[in-house]
Amino acid sequence: MEMGWRWDFTIEILPQMAIATLNTILAAGVGYAIALVVGLFFLLGQRTPFRIINWINREIVEFIRSTPLLIQLFFVYFVLPQFGITLSAWICGMITIGLHFGTYLSEVYRGALEGVSKTQWEACRALNFSTLYTYRRIVLPQAFPIAIPGMGNYLVGIFKDTPLLSTIGVAELFHAATAVGGYNYRYLEPYTLVGIIFLTLSIPAAMWVRKLENDVNKAQGKIKK
Amino acid sequence: MNEHGVTLLLGTVTTIKVLVCSMILYVIISMIFGLMRLSKNLAIQGIATVYIEFFRGTSLLVQLFWAYYVLPFFGISLEAFTAGVVALGLNFGAYGAEIVRAGILAVPKGQWEAAHALNFNPAKRIKRIIIPQIFPIILPPAANLTVELLKATALVALVTVVDLTFEAKQINSITWLSAQCFGTALLIYYIIARFALVPFLRWLEVLAARKVGKERI
């Protein structure tokens, strides 16, 4: 086996890796969309006036948050067929990522809602606005900017966790690299390429999130003035 | 299932070993790179920034596989356990360094000035005045990060470290009792996090707060 970096091999595998990168981006996007919605449900569970539901909700969130995503993936992928539900690796992966990061996003939402000052609620009460109207027109427009940085961070987080999907056979970037590497008995170029592709995608994304964070902080500073 | 219980237990021991080793490594790395990030020397600061951005920008799994499967190309063959601990330590060290940096910046300016006025040299200033005060600030976010570390240790199973995840997967492929073995593994992780790791970290927080004479949070 030849040591050192081989450019011809790198160029040979590049198209395959590029296609797999699209799959990774797709997986991250779909997983994120599901997580955004799941997060809303956990938020609802947290805010209903029923104590028991609050408690169950909190325990579920706690459990999902403190156990590894990897085993959750295995659990969904291997256990559901035992109950006669056979889903493709893609769907299993998307469900698990959605559930896992949904718990994190529900915390982001909660923090954002609590970031809206209590007096806003009182003012709406005084103006005789309905709860729904208060949420829609007063609270949510103020909470949303606060939530943006956290939401952005988890988008980057999901993107970086998509390689785990390869363990259940989702054909994303890391899976492609392992396949190419195993086929050619060369792991140097495929895995290094994966690293470079991740860097080139996630550093701009992280910078963009940081910029959003700054913008939001600035905007809030203006409100305080 | 009884015989498998022992196997799972042995796996749990390995998981805890990985956790403790990578925890020690990541704490040391965060301290060093957190301080380097604040250095006035541009070269030192640059090295720290590149390191942090690199390890935060690529996926942990990629780093792990790189350490285990690619490093041998350069003549460095690490054992699976070592590769796992090193990858975890380097990855989480990058996140931890940012926490340390934020913690140091959060120490009131007056403390720096007072140390300066008392003619403490820079090393003593950092060691005796600043570092002891950052713990109450950095421990809450560091606790979150450490729970994330526990979860991340599951990944070392993919580079053949025989930890809890590895054993659960192994038992699954023998018995196909997926619900039981993955369910038990999930429960064990949950128990370690909720009843051992988190209480320990809370205790550290209380200790740190007391050390600098702050009320219990």
Side-chain angles (χ1 to χ4, degrees), chain A residues 59 65-67 71 79 82 104 160 163-164 174 188 191-192 195 202, chain B residues 56-59 65-66 70 95 148 151 155 176 178 186 189-190 194:
Chain A
E59 289 303 312
R65 278 174 61 121
S66 45
T67 50
I71 307 191
V79 174
Q82 287 190 337
Y104 285 92
K160 277 184 285 187
L164 294 192
F174 193 70
L188 171 62
Y191 283 155
T192 310
S202 70
Chain B
R56 298 203 323 169
T58 50
S59 180
F65 272 62
W66 217 86
V70 177
Y95 288 92
E148 292 295 319
K151 288 160 57 182
L155 297 194
W176 287 102
S178 307
L186 282 176
Y189 276 107
Y190 181 63
R194 184 99 190 249

PDB file of all heavy atoms in Angstrom, chain A residues 59 65-67 71 79 82 104 160 163-164 174 188 191-192 195 202, chain B residues 56-59 65-66 70 95 148 151 155 176 178 186 189-190 194:
ATOM      1  N   GLU A  59     -39.604  14.688  32.499  1.00  0.00           N
ATOM      2  CA  GLU A  59     -38.830  13.442  32.620  1.00  0.00           C
ATOM      3  C   GLU A  59     -38.414  12.918  31.247  1.00  0.00           C
ATOM      4  O   GLU A  59     -37.291  12.466  31.073  1.00  0.00           O
ATOM      5  CB  GLU A  59     -39.638  12.374  33.366  1.00  0.00           C
ATOM      6  CG  GLU A  59     -39.808  12.655  34.857  1.00  0.00           C
ATOM      7  CD  GLU A  59     -38.481  12.811  35.592  1.00  0.00           C
ATOM      8  OE1 GLU A  59     -37.590  11.965  35.402  1.00  0.00           O
ATOM      9  OE2 GLU A  59     -38.332  13.798  36.338  1.00  0.00           O
ATOM     10  N   ARG A  65     -32.348  13.847  26.715  1.00  0.00           N
ATOM     11  CA  ARG A  65     -31.176  14.712  26.703  1.00  0.00           C
ATOM     12  C   ARG A  65     -29.954  14.080  27.340  1.00  0.00           C
ATOM     13  O   ARG A  65     -28.837  14.484  27.063  1.00  0.00           O
ATOM     14  CB  ARG A  65     -31.481  16.025  27.432  1.00  0.00           C
ATOM     15  CG  ARG A  65     -32.198  17.014  26.580  1.00  0.00           C
ATOM     16  CD  ARG A  65     -32.580  18.188  27.410  1.00  0.00           C
ATOM     17  NE  ARG A  65     -31.394  18.826  27.958  1.00  0.00           N
ATOM     18  CZ  ARG A  65     -31.083  20.086  27.727  1.00  0.00           C
ATOM     19  NH1 ARG A  65     -31.843  20.821  26.976  1.00  0.00           N
ATOM     20  NH2 ARG A  65     -30.012  20.612  28.255  1.00  0.00           N
ATOM     21  N   SER A  66     -30.157  13.109  28.248  1.00  0.00           N
ATOM     22  CA  SER A  66     -28.963  12.593  28.913  1.00  0.00           C
ATOM     23  C   SER A  66     -28.586  11.192  28.443  1.00  0.00           C
ATOM     24  O   SER A  66     -27.784  10.530  29.082  1.00  0.00           O
ATOM     25  CB  SER A  66     -29.107  12.648  30.438  1.00  0.00           C
ATOM     26  OG  SER A  66     -30.349  12.195  30.835  1.00  0.00           O
ATOM     27  N   THR A  67     -29.142  10.752  27.318  1.00  0.00           N
ATOM     28  CA  THR A  67     -28.695   9.473  26.760  1.00  0.00           C
ATOM     29  C   THR A  67     -28.142   9.699  25.350  1.00  0.00           C
ATOM     30  O   THR A  67     -28.547  10.638  24.669  1.00  0.00           O
ATOM     31  CB  THR A  67     -29.843   8.449  26.722  1.00  0.00           C
ATOM     32  OG1 THR A  67     -30.972   9.044  26.106  1.00  0.00           O
ATOM     33  CG2 THR A  67     -30.204   7.994  28.114  1.00  0.00           C
ATOM     34  N   ILE A  71     -27.232   5.419  20.630  1.00  0.00           N
ATOM     35  CA  ILE A  71     -28.036   4.282  21.080  1.00  0.00           C
ATOM     36  C   ILE A  71     -29.511   4.532  20.792  1.00  0.00           C
ATOM     37  O   ILE A  71     -30.255   3.613  20.495  1.00  0.00           O
ATOM     38  CB  ILE A  71     -27.811   4.004  22.571  1.00  0.00           C
ATOM     39  CG1 ILE A  71     -26.314   3.867  22.814  1.00  0.00           C
ATOM     40  CG2 ILE A  71     -28.509   2.730  23.000  1.00  0.00           C
ATOM     41  CD1 ILE A  71     -25.971   3.356  24.153  1.00  0.00           C
ATOM     42  N   VAL A  79     -35.645  -1.688  17.267  1.00  0.00           N
ATOM     43  CA  VAL A  79     -36.772  -2.090  18.104  1.00  0.00           C
ATOM     44  C   VAL A  79     -38.103  -1.959  17.375  1.00  0.00           C
ATOM     45  O   VAL A  79     -38.970  -2.829  17.499  1.00  0.00           O
ATOM     46  CB  VAL A  79     -36.777  -1.287  19.413  1.00  0.00           C
ATOM     47  CG1 VAL A  79     -38.030  -1.588  20.214  1.00  0.00           C
ATOM     48  CG2 VAL A  79     -35.537  -1.622  20.229  1.00  0.00           C
ATOM     49  N   GLN A  82     -39.567  -4.930  15.680  1.00  0.00           N
ATOM     50  CA  GLN A  82     -40.094  -5.957  16.576  1.00  0.00           C
ATOM     51  C   GLN A  82     -41.588  -5.773  16.816  1.00  0.00           C
ATOM     52  O   GLN A  82     -42.290  -6.700  17.172  1.00  0.00           O
ATOM     53  CB  GLN A  82     -39.364  -5.924  17.917  1.00  0.00           C
ATOM     54  CG  GLN A  82     -37.948  -6.470  17.822  1.00  0.00           C
ATOM     55  CD  GLN A  82     -37.325  -6.662  19.176  1.00  0.00           C
ATOM     56  OE1 GLN A  82     -37.727  -6.033  20.145  1.00  0.00           O
ATOM     57  NE2 GLN A  82     -36.340  -7.534  19.246  1.00  0.00           N
ATOM     58  N   TYR A 104     -33.795  19.766  22.883  1.00  0.00           N
ATOM     59  CA  TYR A 104     -32.916  20.928  23.051  1.00  0.00           C
ATOM     60  C   TYR A 104     -33.626  22.201  22.580  1.00  0.00           C
ATOM     61  O   TYR A 104     -33.532  23.248  23.206  1.00  0.00           O
ATOM     62  CB  TYR A 104     -31.622  20.737  22.255  1.00  0.00           C
ATOM     63  CG  TYR A 104     -30.673  19.757  22.880  1.00  0.00           C
ATOM     64  CD1 TYR A 104     -30.702  18.415  22.536  1.00  0.00           C
ATOM     65  CD2 TYR A 104     -29.758  20.182  23.827  1.00  0.00           C
ATOM     66  CE1 TYR A 104     -29.840  17.520  23.115  1.00  0.00           C
ATOM     67  CE2 TYR A 104     -28.876  19.287  24.413  1.00  0.00           C
ATOM     68  CZ  TYR A 104     -28.927  17.948  24.045  1.00  0.00           C
ATOM     69  OH  TYR A 104     -28.069  17.063  24.627  1.00  0.00           O
ATOM     70  N   LYS A 160     -23.419  18.516  12.407  1.00  0.00           N
ATOM     71  CA  LYS A 160     -22.218  17.806  12.827  1.00  0.00           C
ATOM     72  C   LYS A 160     -22.518  16.419  13.383  1.00  0.00           C
ATOM     73  O   LYS A 160     -21.625  15.596  13.516  1.00  0.00           O
ATOM     74  CB  LYS A 160     -21.446  18.641  13.852  1.00  0.00           C
ATOM     75  CG  LYS A 160     -20.568  19.666  13.162  1.00  0.00           C
ATOM     76  CD  LYS A 160     -19.722  20.425  14.135  1.00  0.00           C
ATOM     77  CE  LYS A 160     -20.554  21.437  14.871  1.00  0.00           C
ATOM     78  NZ  LYS A 160     -19.744  22.316  15.703  1.00  0.00           N
ATOM     79  N   PRO A 163     -23.101  12.404  10.779  1.00  0.00           N
ATOM     80  CA  PRO A 163     -22.298  11.205  10.504  1.00  0.00           C
ATOM     81  C   PRO A 163     -22.766   9.984  11.284  1.00  0.00           C
ATOM     82  O   PRO A 163     -22.558   8.849  10.844  1.00  0.00           O
ATOM     83  CB  PRO A 163     -20.887  11.609  10.934  1.00  0.00           C
ATOM     84  CG  PRO A 163     -20.847  13.060  10.755  1.00  0.00           C
ATOM     85  CD  PRO A 163     -22.225  13.550  11.086  1.00  0.00           C
ATOM     86  N   LEU A 164     -23.419  10.227  12.437  1.00  0.00           N
ATOM     87  CA  LEU A 164     -23.918   9.081  13.209  1.00  0.00           C
ATOM     88  C   LEU A 164     -24.906   8.257  12.404  1.00  0.00           C
ATOM     89  O   LEU A 164     -25.072   7.059  12.632  1.00  0.00           O
ATOM     90  CB  LEU A 164     -24.593   9.559  14.502  1.00  0.00           C
ATOM     91  CG  LEU A 164     -23.711  10.217  15.549  1.00  0.00           C
ATOM     92  CD1 LEU A 164     -24.470  10.363  16.849  1.00  0.00           C
ATOM     93  CD2 LEU A 164     -22.486   9.367  15.781  1.00  0.00           C
ATOM     94  N   PHE A 174     -20.343  10.564   5.502  1.00  0.00           N
ATOM     95  CA  PHE A 174     -19.427   9.706   6.233  1.00  0.00           C
ATOM     96  C   PHE A 174     -19.556   8.250   5.788  1.00  0.00           C
ATOM     97  O   PHE A 174     -18.575   7.513   5.699  1.00  0.00           O
ATOM     98  CB  PHE A 174     -19.700   9.834   7.730  1.00  0.00           C
ATOM     99  CG  PHE A 174     -18.619   9.250   8.577  1.00  0.00           C
ATOM    100  CD1 PHE A 174     -17.391   9.858   8.650  1.00  0.00           C
ATOM    101  CD2 PHE A 174     -18.831   8.084   9.285  1.00  0.00           C
ATOM    102  CE1 PHE A 174     -16.385   9.327   9.416  1.00  0.00           C
ATOM    103  CE2 PHE A 174     -17.825   7.538  10.054  1.00  0.00           C
ATOM    104  CZ  PHE A 174     -16.607   8.159  10.117  1.00  0.00           C
ATOM    105  N   LEU A 188      -7.144   7.380   4.254  1.00  0.00           N
ATOM    106  CA  LEU A 188      -6.561   8.702   4.443  1.00  0.00           C
ATOM    107  C   LEU A 188      -7.347   9.784   3.698  1.00  0.00           C
ATOM    108  O   LEU A 188      -7.851  10.730   4.306  1.00  0.00           O
ATOM    109  CB  LEU A 188      -5.099   8.688   3.969  1.00  0.00           C
ATOM    110  CG  LEU A 188      -4.390  10.037   3.888  1.00  0.00           C
ATOM    111  CD1 LEU A 188      -4.317  10.684   5.246  1.00  0.00           C
ATOM    112  CD2 LEU A 188      -2.983   9.871   3.317  1.00  0.00           C
ATOM    113  N   TYR A 191     -11.506  10.085   4.569  1.00  0.00           N
ATOM    114  CA  TYR A 191     -11.826  10.685   5.868  1.00  0.00           C
ATOM    115  C   TYR A 191     -11.321  12.115   5.970  1.00  0.00           C
ATOM    116  O   TYR A 191     -11.956  12.969   6.586  1.00  0.00           O
ATOM    117  CB  TYR A 191     -11.260   9.830   7.011  1.00  0.00           C
ATOM    118  CG  TYR A 191     -12.084   8.600   7.288  1.00  0.00           C
ATOM    119  CD1 TYR A 191     -11.521   7.471   7.867  1.00  0.00           C
ATOM    120  CD2 TYR A 191     -13.442   8.577   6.976  1.00  0.00           C
ATOM    121  CE1 TYR A 191     -12.286   6.338   8.115  1.00  0.00           C
ATOM    122  CE2 TYR A 191     -14.205   7.452   7.224  1.00  0.00           C
ATOM    123  CZ  TYR A 191     -13.622   6.335   7.790  1.00  0.00           C
ATOM    124  OH  TYR A 191     -14.381   5.227   8.042  1.00  0.00           O
ATOM    125  N   THR A 192     -10.166  12.380   5.358  1.00  0.00           N
ATOM    126  CA  THR A 192      -9.669  13.747   5.397  1.00  0.00           C
ATOM    127  C   THR A 192     -10.593  14.671   4.597  1.00  0.00           C
ATOM    128  O   THR A 192     -10.901  15.783   5.033  1.00  0.00           O
ATOM    129  CB  THR A 192      -8.235  13.811   4.829  1.00  0.00           C
ATOM    130  OG1 THR A 192      -7.460  12.809   5.472  1.00  0.00           O
ATOM    131  CG2 THR A 192      -7.616  15.165   5.059  1.00  0.00           C
ATOM    132  N   GLY A 195     -13.525  15.577   6.620  1.00  0.00           N
ATOM    133  CA  GLY A 195     -13.165  16.629   7.566  1.00  0.00           C
ATOM    134  C   GLY A 195     -13.152  17.992   6.891  1.00  0.00           C
ATOM    135  O   GLY A 195     -13.723  18.957   7.408  1.00  0.00           O
ATOM    136  N   SER A 202     -19.283  24.102   7.972  1.00  0.00           N
ATOM    137  CA  SER A 202     -19.751  24.490   9.308  1.00  0.00           C
ATOM    138  C   SER A 202     -19.109  25.772   9.826  1.00  0.00           C
ATOM    139  O   SER A 202     -19.722  26.467  10.625  1.00  0.00           O
ATOM    140  CB  SER A 202     -19.570  23.351  10.305  1.00  0.00           C
ATOM    141  OG  SER A 202     -18.221  23.147  10.583  1.00  0.00           O
TER     142      SER A 202
ATOM    143  N   ARG B  56     -14.040  22.312  16.560  1.00  0.00           N
ATOM    144  CA  ARG B  56     -15.474  22.563  16.668  1.00  0.00           C
ATOM    145  C   ARG B  56     -16.150  22.478  15.316  1.00  0.00           C
ATOM    146  O   ARG B  56     -17.347  22.260  15.228  1.00  0.00           O
ATOM    147  CB  ARG B  56     -15.737  23.929  17.297  1.00  0.00           C
ATOM    148  CG  ARG B  56     -15.195  24.005  18.707  1.00  0.00           C
ATOM    149  CD  ARG B  56     -15.863  25.030  19.541  1.00  0.00           C
ATOM    150  NE  ARG B  56     -16.228  26.254  18.842  1.00  0.00           N
ATOM    151  CZ  ARG B  56     -17.001  27.169  19.371  1.00  0.00           C
ATOM    152  NH1 ARG B  56     -17.476  27.008  20.568  1.00  0.00           N
ATOM    153  NH2 ARG B  56     -17.283  28.250  18.703  1.00  0.00           N
ATOM    154  N   GLY B  57     -15.366  22.656  14.268  1.00  0.00           N
ATOM    155  CA  GLY B  57     -15.960  22.706  12.930  1.00  0.00           C
ATOM    156  C   GLY B  57     -16.139  21.347  12.282  1.00  0.00           C
ATOM    157  O   GLY B  57     -16.966  21.189  11.398  1.00  0.00           O
ATOM    158  N   THR B  58     -15.340  20.364  12.715  1.00  0.00           N
ATOM    159  CA  THR B  58     -15.515  19.038  12.132  1.00  0.00           C
ATOM    160  C   THR B  58     -16.231  18.159  13.137  1.00  0.00           C
ATOM    161  O   THR B  58     -16.228  18.422  14.325  1.00  0.00           O
ATOM    162  CB  THR B  58     -14.161  18.406  11.776  1.00  0.00           C
ATOM    163  OG1 THR B  58     -13.304  18.491  12.899  1.00  0.00           O
ATOM    164  CG2 THR B  58     -13.518  19.111  10.621  1.00  0.00           C
ATOM    165  N   SER B  59     -16.818  17.100  12.609  1.00  0.00           N
ATOM    166  CA  SER B  59     -17.629  16.251  13.461  1.00  0.00           C
ATOM    167  C   SER B  59     -16.753  15.356  14.340  1.00  0.00           C
ATOM    168  O   SER B  59     -15.683  14.924  13.924  1.00  0.00           O
ATOM    169  CB  SER B  59     -18.509  15.407  12.551  1.00  0.00           C
ATOM    170  OG  SER B  59     -19.299  14.570  13.314  1.00  0.00           O
ATOM    171  N   PHE B  65     -12.547   8.669  13.828  1.00  0.00           N
ATOM    172  CA  PHE B  65     -12.119   7.735  12.779  1.00  0.00           C
ATOM    173  C   PHE B  65     -10.767   8.142  12.224  1.00  0.00           C
ATOM    174  O   PHE B  65      -9.966   7.305  11.854  1.00  0.00           O
ATOM    175  CB  PHE B  65     -13.174   7.672  11.659  1.00  0.00           C
ATOM    176  CG  PHE B  65     -14.222   6.639  11.932  1.00  0.00           C
ATOM    177  CD1 PHE B  65     -15.025   6.740  13.042  1.00  0.00           C
ATOM    178  CD2 PHE B  65     -14.390   5.553  11.092  1.00  0.00           C
ATOM    179  CE1 PHE B  65     -15.988   5.795  13.316  1.00  0.00           C
ATOM    180  CE2 PHE B  65     -15.343   4.590  11.357  1.00  0.00           C
ATOM    181  CZ  PHE B  65     -16.149   4.711  12.462  1.00  0.00           C
ATOM    182  N   TRP B  66     -10.565   9.435  12.160  1.00  0.00           N
ATOM    183  CA  TRP B  66      -9.285   9.934  11.679  1.00  0.00           C
ATOM    184  C   TRP B  66      -8.178   9.470  12.617  1.00  0.00           C
ATOM    185  O   TRP B  66      -7.157   8.959  12.174  1.00  0.00           O
ATOM    186  CB  TRP B  66      -9.334  11.466  11.612  1.00  0.00           C
ATOM    187  CG  TRP B  66      -8.595  12.016  10.449  1.00  0.00           C
ATOM    188  CD1 TRP B  66      -9.084  12.188   9.192  1.00  0.00           C
ATOM    189  CD2 TRP B  66      -7.241  12.456  10.419  1.00  0.00           C
ATOM    190  NE1 TRP B  66      -8.116  12.709   8.391  1.00  0.00           N
ATOM    191  CE2 TRP B  66      -6.972  12.880   9.113  1.00  0.00           C
ATOM    192  CE3 TRP B  66      -6.231  12.528  11.375  1.00  0.00           C
ATOM    193  CZ2 TRP B  66      -5.739  13.370   8.724  1.00  0.00           C
ATOM    194  CZ3 TRP B  66      -4.997  13.012  10.994  1.00  0.00           C
ATOM    195  CH2 TRP B  66      -4.763  13.429   9.681  1.00  0.00           C
ATOM    196  N   VAL B  70      -6.737   6.769  10.229  1.00  0.00           N
ATOM    197  CA  VAL B  70      -5.867   7.533   9.330  1.00  0.00           C
ATOM    198  C   VAL B  70      -4.476   7.758   9.925  1.00  0.00           C
ATOM    199  O   VAL B  70      -3.486   7.696   9.210  1.00  0.00           O
ATOM    200  CB  VAL B  70      -6.522   8.876   8.935  1.00  0.00           C
ATOM    201  CG1 VAL B  70      -5.590   9.697   8.079  1.00  0.00           C
ATOM    202  CG2 VAL B  70      -7.818   8.610   8.189  1.00  0.00           C
ATOM    203  N   TYR B  95     -14.321  22.970  22.886  1.00  0.00           N
ATOM    204  CA  TYR B  95     -15.520  23.625  23.423  1.00  0.00           C
ATOM    205  C   TYR B  95     -15.235  24.208  24.803  1.00  0.00           C
ATOM    206  O   TYR B  95     -15.664  25.307  25.135  1.00  0.00           O
ATOM    207  CB  TYR B  95     -16.686  22.628  23.517  1.00  0.00           C
ATOM    208  CG  TYR B  95     -17.262  22.254  22.185  1.00  0.00           C
ATOM    209  CD1 TYR B  95     -16.799  21.151  21.484  1.00  0.00           C
ATOM    210  CD2 TYR B  95     -18.274  23.018  21.612  1.00  0.00           C
ATOM    211  CE1 TYR B  95     -17.333  20.811  20.249  1.00  0.00           C
ATOM    212  CE2 TYR B  95     -18.807  22.691  20.391  1.00  0.00           C
ATOM    213  CZ  TYR B  95     -18.323  21.578  19.704  1.00  0.00           C
ATOM    214  OH  TYR B  95     -18.844  21.245  18.483  1.00  0.00           O
ATOM    215  N   GLU B 148     -22.661  16.118  27.971  1.00  0.00           N
ATOM    216  CA  GLU B 148     -22.510  15.857  26.537  1.00  0.00           C
ATOM    217  C   GLU B 148     -21.349  14.888  26.292  1.00  0.00           C
ATOM    218  O   GLU B 148     -21.405  14.033  25.413  1.00  0.00           O
ATOM    219  CB  GLU B 148     -22.248  17.160  25.766  1.00  0.00           C
ATOM    220  CG  GLU B 148     -23.434  18.113  25.727  1.00  0.00           C
ATOM    221  CD  GLU B 148     -24.610  17.531  24.958  1.00  0.00           C
ATOM    222  OE1 GLU B 148     -24.382  16.910  23.918  1.00  0.00           O
ATOM    223  OE2 GLU B 148     -25.753  17.690  25.427  1.00  0.00           O
ATOM    224  N   LYS B 151     -22.362  11.359  26.877  1.00  0.00           N
ATOM    225  CA  LYS B 151     -23.116  10.846  25.732  1.00  0.00           C
ATOM    226  C   LYS B 151     -22.185  10.550  24.562  1.00  0.00           C
ATOM    227  O   LYS B 151     -22.373   9.587  23.834  1.00  0.00           O
ATOM    228  CB  LYS B 151     -24.163  11.870  25.309  1.00  0.00           C
ATOM    229  CG  LYS B 151     -25.301  11.956  26.285  1.00  0.00           C
ATOM    230  CD  LYS B 151     -26.055  13.237  26.160  1.00  0.00           C
ATOM    231  CE  LYS B 151     -26.591  13.453  24.762  1.00  0.00           C
ATOM    232  NZ  LYS B 151     -27.290  14.747  24.658  1.00  0.00           N
ATOM    233  N   LEU B 155     -19.640   6.962  21.202  1.00  0.00           N
ATOM    234  CA  LEU B 155     -19.074   6.879  19.852  1.00  0.00           C
ATOM    235  C   LEU B 155     -17.815   6.032  19.798  1.00  0.00           C
ATOM    236  O   LEU B 155     -17.467   5.510  18.737  1.00  0.00           O
ATOM    237  CB  LEU B 155     -18.760   8.280  19.316  1.00  0.00           C
ATOM    238  CG  LEU B 155     -19.921   9.223  19.132  1.00  0.00           C
ATOM    239  CD1 LEU B 155     -19.501  10.403  18.289  1.00  0.00           C
ATOM    240  CD2 LEU B 155     -21.092   8.528  18.489  1.00  0.00           C
ATOM    241  N   TRP B 176     -30.886 -10.728  19.380  1.00  0.00           N
ATOM    242  CA  TRP B 176     -31.947  -9.954  18.727  1.00  0.00           C
ATOM    243  C   TRP B 176     -33.031  -9.504  19.686  1.00  0.00           C
ATOM    244  O   TRP B 176     -34.166  -9.298  19.284  1.00  0.00           O
ATOM    245  CB  TRP B 176     -32.536 -10.722  17.543  1.00  0.00           C
ATOM    246  CG  TRP B 176     -31.571 -10.720  16.428  1.00  0.00           C
ATOM    247  CD1 TRP B 176     -30.752 -11.728  16.042  1.00  0.00           C
ATOM    248  CD2 TRP B 176     -31.247  -9.608  15.577  1.00  0.00           C
ATOM    249  NE1 TRP B 176     -29.934 -11.312  15.009  1.00  0.00           N
ATOM    250  CE2 TRP B 176     -30.223 -10.028  14.710  1.00  0.00           C
ATOM    251  CE3 TRP B 176     -31.719  -8.287  15.487  1.00  0.00           C
ATOM    252  CZ2 TRP B 176     -29.657  -9.194  13.761  1.00  0.00           C
ATOM    253  CZ3 TRP B 176     -31.166  -7.454  14.542  1.00  0.00           C
ATOM    254  CH2 TRP B 176     -30.142  -7.907  13.673  1.00  0.00           C
ATOM    255  N   SER B 178     -33.625  -6.628  20.847  1.00  0.00           N
ATOM    256  CA  SER B 178     -33.199  -5.233  20.691  1.00  0.00           C
ATOM    257  C   SER B 178     -33.763  -4.320  21.770  1.00  0.00           C
ATOM    258  O   SER B 178     -33.049  -3.509  22.353  1.00  0.00           O
ATOM    259  CB  SER B 178     -33.615  -4.712  19.325  1.00  0.00           C
ATOM    260  OG  SER B 178     -33.156  -5.570  18.328  1.00  0.00           O
ATOM    261  N   LEU B 186     -29.606   2.368  27.410  1.00  0.00           N
ATOM    262  CA  LEU B 186     -30.095   3.741  27.566  1.00  0.00           C
ATOM    263  C   LEU B 186     -30.297   4.066  29.042  1.00  0.00           C
ATOM    264  O   LEU B 186     -29.898   5.122  29.532  1.00  0.00           O
ATOM    265  CB  LEU B 186     -31.418   3.925  26.821  1.00  0.00           C
ATOM    266  CG  LEU B 186     -31.341   4.097  25.305  1.00  0.00           C
ATOM    267  CD1 LEU B 186     -32.740   4.160  24.711  1.00  0.00           C
ATOM    268  CD2 LEU B 186     -30.582   5.361  24.950  1.00  0.00           C
ATOM    269  N   TYR B 189     -26.969   4.604  30.877  1.00  0.00           N
ATOM    270  CA  TYR B 189     -26.439   5.951  30.598  1.00  0.00           C
ATOM    271  C   TYR B 189     -27.207   7.003  31.396  1.00  0.00           C
ATOM    272  O   TYR B 189     -26.628   7.928  31.964  1.00  0.00           O
ATOM    273  CB  TYR B 189     -26.527   6.279  29.105  1.00  0.00           C
ATOM    274  CG  TYR B 189     -25.368   5.745  28.308  1.00  0.00           C
ATOM    275  CD1 TYR B 189     -25.530   4.665  27.459  1.00  0.00           C
ATOM    276  CD2 TYR B 189     -24.106   6.322  28.399  1.00  0.00           C
ATOM    277  CE1 TYR B 189     -24.479   4.162  26.723  1.00  0.00           C
ATOM    278  CE2 TYR B 189     -23.045   5.828  27.671  1.00  0.00           C
ATOM    279  CZ  TYR B 189     -23.230   4.753  26.829  1.00  0.00           C
ATOM    280  OH  TYR B 189     -22.183   4.265  26.110  1.00  0.00           O
ATOM    281  N   TYR B 190     -28.530   6.834  31.414  1.00  0.00           N
ATOM    282  CA  TYR B 190     -29.369   7.799  32.118  1.00  0.00           C
ATOM    283  C   TYR B 190     -29.033   7.820  33.602  1.00  0.00           C
ATOM    284  O   TYR B 190     -28.889   8.885  34.207  1.00  0.00           O
ATOM    285  CB  TYR B 190     -30.836   7.435  31.905  1.00  0.00           C
ATOM    286  CG  TYR B 190     -31.799   8.373  32.576  1.00  0.00           C
ATOM    287  CD1 TYR B 190     -31.848   9.709  32.204  1.00  0.00           C
ATOM    288  CD2 TYR B 190     -32.651   7.929  33.584  1.00  0.00           C
ATOM    289  CE1 TYR B 190     -32.740  10.576  32.811  1.00  0.00           C
ATOM    290  CE2 TYR B 190     -33.538   8.781  34.195  1.00  0.00           C
ATOM    291  CZ  TYR B 190     -33.586  10.109  33.796  1.00  0.00           C
ATOM    292  OH  TYR B 190     -34.445  10.955  34.410  1.00  0.00           O
ATOM    293  N   ARG B 194     -27.756  11.006  35.572  1.00  0.00           N
ATOM    294  CA  ARG B 194     -28.672  11.675  36.488  1.00  0.00           C
ATOM    295  C   ARG B 194     -28.277  11.489  37.949  1.00  0.00           C
ATOM    296  O   ARG B 194     -28.451  12.384  38.762  1.00  0.00           O
ATOM    297  CB  ARG B 194     -30.079  11.128  36.244  1.00  0.00           C
ATOM    298  CG  ARG B 194     -31.151  11.782  37.053  1.00  0.00           C
ATOM    299  CD  ARG B 194     -31.855  12.809  36.214  1.00  0.00           C
ATOM    300  NE  ARG B 194     -32.739  13.633  37.010  1.00  0.00           N
ATOM    301  CZ  ARG B 194     -34.070  13.593  36.922  1.00  0.00           C
ATOM    302  NH1 ARG B 194     -34.643  12.781  36.080  1.00  0.00           N
ATOM    303  NH2 ARG B 194     -34.805  14.380  37.661  1.00  0.00           N
TER     304      ARG B 194
END
